[in-house]
């Protein structure tokens, strides 16, 4: 302890501690995330938007190592641009998810990031894909990040197949709020992205606009 | 993120230090993997737990009773090492019984909680025990005290514990409200433990419940087929 090492957070890897969610509804998907990026005990960015566009109607939610996740998202964004130009039309959500899965699986030993892919396409409507550890699976809803553990029970209990747009948005905000209040690595504001056939809607819920629960 | 990976898919590499011919559960300690919880209501408490005890991947007991009576109106919910928690519970049962005879009245729940805390804190390096103490006494009515690993003691209106509890923090925060009735608490506990059992590999079996109030203890079991069903894909 005689040498000057600098603050602890300068030597800690930057991770998006995080809670990320994607839920399908009738006609589209809602993606949600918190906004905290931590390096050890320090919050290095309290307003980061972890919902990253891969294409016009396809977004992904980032978790794990911030560098790894951002790089995967940028790479797939580029690959999808090329693919959709060759195709001459908008790519399928499944294609985007497969591209993410390919990178996650090929480099699974070196990378530590989990991306959830959600979007809308003409063939399948709203779809959510999980790509954890390099698998690819379509699910009605997907959770990720350190905060997700605390809200599996809540989402299992509250999810209804075929729910509407506003109900699903409220469900995602409630779930994020619960996770953010229990997980030390999640916090800040809640970002929401709603994608359907008509387009993309981005929303932010500031701290005081988040729902509160019985002990707050 | 890494935590989510291990929780969803278990260990990817199996590291065995013993002979590969012997199943892993012959070398693993018996643990109550578990989901336990306790909720206060006006007039008493409701405690609940799953019923699975594991040694590694083998379920040693699928109908375990993790709700242990400590005194007439005081129960404890046990999680962590089965041996450690049984030993501590036996000790506290003896100490509390003796204390109650000297006092010549029913012991306070706070007393029971402090006895648990004393043992869990003193031997914190050797023990793996997460305990929830809940009961009724005439001074403060229904009370829930949490004595997690490490040996602290704190009173809460709702307490959840065990490996399965992580998955239901959100559900409990959203669905518990102060001033619920006994039946509402029973239903809440049944739903919460079921949800945790769905997601946690170390929790399962049946849901055991007990409602403790001035008039006595009412025990219930919710069997597999009667468990509430939620969305599972």
């Amino acid at each position: 302890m005689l040498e000057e090492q600098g603050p602890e957070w300068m030597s800690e890897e930057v991770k998006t501690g995080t809670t990320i969610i994607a839920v399908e509804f009738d006609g589209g998907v809602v993606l949600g995330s918190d906004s905290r990026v931590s390096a050890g005990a320090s919050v290095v960015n309290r307003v980061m938007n972890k919902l990253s566009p891969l294409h016009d109607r396809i977004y992904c939610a980032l978790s794990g190592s911030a560098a790894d996740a951002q790089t995967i998202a940028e790479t797939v964004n580029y690959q999808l641009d090329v693919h959709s130009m060759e195709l001459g039309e908008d790519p399928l959500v499944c294609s985007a998810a497969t591209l993410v899965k390919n990178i996650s699986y090929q480099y699974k030993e070196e990378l530590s990031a989990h991306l959830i892919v959600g979007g809308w396409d003409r063939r399948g409507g709203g779809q959510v894909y999980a790509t954890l550890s390099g698998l690819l699976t379509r699910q009605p809803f997907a959770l990720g990040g350190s905060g997700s553990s605390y809200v599996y029970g809540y989402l299992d209990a509250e999810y209804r197949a075929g729910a509407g747009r506003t109900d699903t948005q409220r469900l995602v905000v409630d779930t994020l709020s619960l996770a953010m209040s229990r997980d030390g690595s999640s916090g800040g504001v809640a970002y929401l992205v709603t994608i359907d056939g008509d387009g993309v809607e981005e929303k932010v819920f500031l701290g005081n606009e988040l729902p509160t629960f019985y002990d707050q | 993120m890494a935590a989510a990976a291990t929780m969803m898919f278990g260990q990817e590499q199996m590291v065995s230090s013993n002979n590969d011919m012997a199943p892993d559960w012959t070398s693993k300690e018996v643990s109550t993997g578990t989901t336990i919880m306790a909720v206060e209501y006006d007039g008493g408490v409701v405690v609940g737990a799953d019923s699975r005890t594991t040694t590694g991947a083998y379920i040693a007991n699928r109908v375990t009773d993790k709700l242990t009576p400590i005194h007439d109106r005081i129960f404890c919910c046990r999680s962590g090492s089965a041996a450690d928690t049984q030993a501590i519970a036996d000790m506290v049962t003896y100490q509390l019984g003796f204390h109650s005879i000297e006092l010549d009245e029913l012991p306070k729940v706070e007393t029971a909680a402090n006895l648990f805390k004393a043992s869990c804190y003193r031997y914190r390096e050797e023990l793996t025990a997460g305990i929830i103490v809940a009961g009724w006494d005439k001074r403060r009515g229904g009370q829930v005290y949490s004595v997690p690993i490490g040996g602290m003691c704190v009173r809460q209106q709702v307490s959840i514990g065990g490996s399965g509890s992580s998955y239901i923090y959100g559900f409990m925060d959203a669905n518990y409200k102060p001033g619920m009735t006994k039946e509402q608490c029973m239903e809440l506990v049944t739903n919460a433990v079921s949800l945790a059992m769905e997601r946690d590999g170390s929790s399962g079996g049946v849901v055991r419940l007990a409602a403790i109030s001035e008039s006595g203890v009412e025990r219930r079991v919710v069997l597999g087929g009667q468990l509430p069903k939620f969305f599972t894909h």
Side-chain angles (χ1 to χ4, degrees):
Chain A
M1 291 300 140
L2 291 175
E3 306 134 41
E4 189 60 30
Q5 284 178 313
E8 171 207 322
W9 50 261
M10 291 199 47
S11 50
E12 292 275 350
E13 193 197 347
V14 175
K15 296 186 92 78
T16 52
T18 254
T19 309
I20 51 174
I21 309 179
V23 184
E24 277 176 32
F25 66 90
D26 187 22
V29 295
V30 179
L31 289 98
S33 83
D34 74 308
S35 67
R36 179 171 293 181
V37 181
S38 45
S42 176
V43 177
V44 295
N45 187 346
R46 60 189 169 123
V47 285
M48 169 160 180
N49 190 340
K50 301 174 191 179
L51 304 175
S52 189
L54 294 179
H55 203 78
D56 294 344
R57 288 197 181 50
I58 308 174
Y59 270 64
C60 70
L62 316 171
S63 76
S65 154
D68 290 349
Q70 283 184 340
T71 306
I72 298 174
E74 285 166 11
T75 310
V76 173
N77 186 335
Y78 162 75
Q79 291 173 340
L80 267 182
D81 272 349
V82 173
H83 171 66
S84 80
M85 272 187 255
E86 289 177 339
L87 215 57
E89 60 184 32
D90 281 344
L92 297 177
V93 187
C94 175
S95 312
T98 305
L99 289 169
V100 172
K101 178 266 288 178
N102 287 343
I103 301 176
S104 303
Y105 182 67
Q106 187 170 4
Y107 298 103
K108 71 184 295 192
E109 302 304 324
E110 294 99 327
L111 297 173
S112 88
H114 171 214
L115 273 66
I116 297 177
V117 179
W120 180 95
D121 63 43
R122 259 188 341 193
R123 191 193 289 185
Q127 297 149 70
V128 169
Y129 291 86
T131 63
L132 181 64
S133 302
L135 63 69
L136 177 64
T137 174
R138 180 179 171 188
Q139 295 172 189
F141 63 84
L143 291 171
S146 53
S148 67
S149 321
Y150 304 108
V151 288
Y152 272 105
Y154 179 74
L155 213 46
D156 280 343
E158 298 296 322
Y159 174 78
R160 307 263 176 280
R165 181 196 172 99
T166 28
D167 283 342
T168 307
Q169 286 176 323
R170 184 170 320 123
L171 176 64
V172 170
V173 172
D174 284 350
T175 313
L176 280 172
S177 183
L178 285 163
M180 282 155 63
S181 72
R182 283 290 180 181
D183 179 31
S185 312
S186 302
V189 305
Y191 288 102
L192 235 69
V193 166
T194 313
I195 309 169
D196 62 13
D198 300 323
V200 173
E201 178 199 349
E202 295 188 5
K203 263 203 268 205
V204 185
F205 290 82
L206 302 181
N208 58 338
E209 296 162 7
L210 290 170
T212 54
F213 301 93
Y214 77 96
D215 55 350
Q216 288 163 303
Chain B
M1 174 266 145
T6 33
M7 273 186 233
M8 281 176 72
F9 291 97
Q11 310 293 14
E12 285 179 300
Q13 305 119 311
M14 294 307 296
V15 179
S16 323
S17 55
N18 64 335
N19 185 1
D20 276 342
M21 300 296 282
D24 83 328
W25 48 260
T26 53
S27 54
K28 289 281 193 335
E29 195 196 340
V30 176
S31 94
T32 50
T34 256
T35 308
I36 50 173
M37 58 187 292
V39 181
E40 280 177 23
Y41 68 92
D42 186 23
V45 294
V46 172
V47 292
D50 74 304
S51 70
R52 181 173 289 184
T53 306
T54 50
T55 31
Y58 174 66
I59 300 173
N61 186 349
R62 60 186 174 135
V63 286
T64 323
D65 186 5
K66 304 178 189 179
L67 307 175
T68 308
I70 303 295
H71 206 271
D72 294 347
R73 298 284 185 280
I74 307 177
F75 267 64
C76 79
C77 313
R78 302 180 291 111
S79 74
S81 156
D84 288 349
T85 55
Q86 284 178 355
I88 300 169
D90 288 346
M91 275 188 343
V92 173
T93 305
Y94 163 75
Q95 293 166 338
L96 201 62
F98 194 85
H99 168 72
S100 166
I101 289 172
E102 287 188 316
L103 216 56
D104 197 24
E105 59 182 41
L106 286 174
K108 308 269 176 296
V109 186
E110 189 180 358
T111 311
N114 280 319
L115 285 170
F116 272 104
K117 176 185 74 179
S119 297
C120 291
Y121 180 68
R122 174 172 292 238
Y123 300 107
R124 57 184 293 170
E125 302 303 323
E126 291 103 72
L127 295 173
T128 312
I131 292 172
I132 300 178
V133 185
W136 178 93
D137 64 44
K138 66 178 199 275
R139 182 197 281 183
R140 294 205 178 107
Q143 298 148 72
V144 172
Y145 293 86
S146 184
V147 183
I149 292 177
M152 80 147 177
C153 177
V154 66
R155 182 181 173 189
Q156 296 177 293
Q157 288 173 307
V158 181
S159 186
I160 56 181
S163 55
S165 68
S166 319
Y167 304 104
I168 49 173
Y169 273 101
F171 179 80
M172 287 308 296
D173 285 343
N175 289 94
Y176 172 76
K177 290 158 191 29
M180 288 164 55
T181 64
K182 181 182 92 163
E183 281 308 318
Q184 287 174 324
C185 286
M186 291 279 224
E187 193 185 332
L188 178 68
V189 172
T190 309
N191 286 339
V193 177
S194 302
L195 284 163
M197 280 160 50
E198 269 295 311
R199 287 289 180 180
D200 179 31
S202 311
S203 301
V206 303
V207 176
R208 292 197 189 274
L209 297 158
I212 309 157
S213 63
E214 179 175 9
S215 51
V217 175
E218 180 199 335
R219 298 208 63 156
R220 266 189 226 173
V221 184
V222 183
L223 300 178
Q226 300 152 4
L227 289 172
K229 295 197 181 359
F230 297 97
F231 181 83
T232 43
H233 43 283

